Amino acid sequence: MRGVTVVDHPLVQHKLTLMRKKDTSTKSFRQLLKEIGSLVCYEVTRDLPLETVEIETPLTAMSAPAIAGKKLVFAAILRSGMGMLEGMLELVPAARIAHVGLYRDPATLACVEYYFKAPDNLGERTVIVVDPMLATGNTAIAAVDRLKEAGAKTIRMACLLCAPEGLSNFQGHHPDVKVWTAAIDDHLNDHGYILPGLGDAGDRMYGTR
């Protein structure tokens, strides 16, 4: 799909397979999600703009590349987004963090917001929305809507799994937001879960499945 990058690195695909297995422990699932978060972050940030700065090494002065502009913002959708966020922060520890609290109404599958907190000057920063699952797409749409209302202009989406229906829905609402994912699965079931998927990422991460 246009505007979607599937991160097909062998390490990502291997770790995703381990996460899909129903007998993977909570501890292992959480660790794997953290590791994949770091690997996907590497790809999402591949084309960030650079500027040249003057530094001194222990031996001499030199001109060297550094990321240009204000620090990144990782916008984690609560609660399962926190698992990927941990790995991303290991790669970019100076990044700012936004929290977007949304839950999906089980009857209507519509999103309900219960918490939102973001850094100032979102319009001057690259914002990366973090959520392992893009299923119906409604949660991601609501999160990006809220971030745009708060001033964000440059937004990217990082996730673990997508459903084709969710991607189509998301891109219909936010065609300007590129998506990075480890896999695009087959379809959604009648309850809005991705198939074959890996179950509820939040439940498996926190041991409440």
Side-chain angles (χ1 to χ4, degrees):
M1 289 186 178
R2 187 174 183 180
V4 180
T5 298
V6 176
V7 182
D8 58 359
H9 191 285
L11 285 175
V12 171
Q13 295 304 312
H14 175 74
K15 291 175 189 295
L16 176 57
T17 295
L18 295 176
M19 293 182 72
R20 289 186 189 271
K21 295 171 64 176
K22 66 179 183 180
D23 57 350
T24 296
S25 69
T26 298
K27 177 182 178 182
S28 295
F29 187 91
R30 190 181 299 131
Q31 180 62 32
L32 288 162
L33 185 57
K34 174 183 174 182
E35 292 169 358
I36 285 184
S38 183
L39 293 168
V40 171
C41 181
Y42 183 86
E43 295 298 330
V44 175
T45 57
R46 178 181 289 275
D47 64 346
L48 290 179
L50 294 172
E51 62 183 359
T52 300
V53 298
E54 301 302 319
I55 66 169
E56 288 194 15
T57 76
L59 298 177
T60 186
M62 70 170 291
S63 299
I67 294 175
K70 290 186 177 293
K71 292 181 171 62
L72 295 174
V73 173
F74 294 139
I77 298 178
L78 303 176
R79 58 185 171 150
S80 56
M82 298 300 292
M84 287 183 69
L85 175 66
E86 188 177 353
M88 296 172 83
L89 283 172
E90 286 197 350
L91 195 64
V92 193
R96 302 290 190 258
I97 302 172
H99 294 96
V100 186
L102 298 164
Y103 69 88
R104 189 171 62 175
D105 186 294
T108 65
L109 301 183
C111 288
V112 180
E113 180 184 319
Y114 63 89
Y115 184 78
F116 181 83
K117 186 72 172 178
D120 295 331
N121 304 321
L122 284 183
E124 301 174 22
R125 304 175 187 273
T126 296
V127 179
I128 300 174
V129 180
V130 184
D131 192 12
M133 315 298 281
L134 201 161
T136 65
N138 292 335
T139 301
I141 290 167
V144 173
D145 283 343
R146 190 67 178 85
L147 288 162
K148 286 183 175 180
E149 288 174 7
K153 293 181 175 63
T154 303
I155 304 175
R156 304 177 178 196
M157 178 83 197
C159 56
L160 183 63
L161 289 182
C162 294
E165 302 95 322
L167 271 177
S168 178
N169 186 26
F170 180 75
Q171 292 182 316
H173 285 79
H174 296 293
D176 57 311
V177 179
K178 293 182 179 180
V179 177
W180 280 258
T181 183
I184 302 173
D185 274 13
D186 190 62
H187 68 283
L188 294 177
N189 67 13
D190 293 339
H191 300 286
Y193 283 92
I194 300 173
L195 292 180
L198 49 71
D200 187 298
D203 286 349
R204 296 193 66 185
M205 186 173 75
Y206 292 108
T208 55
R209 59 178 176 176

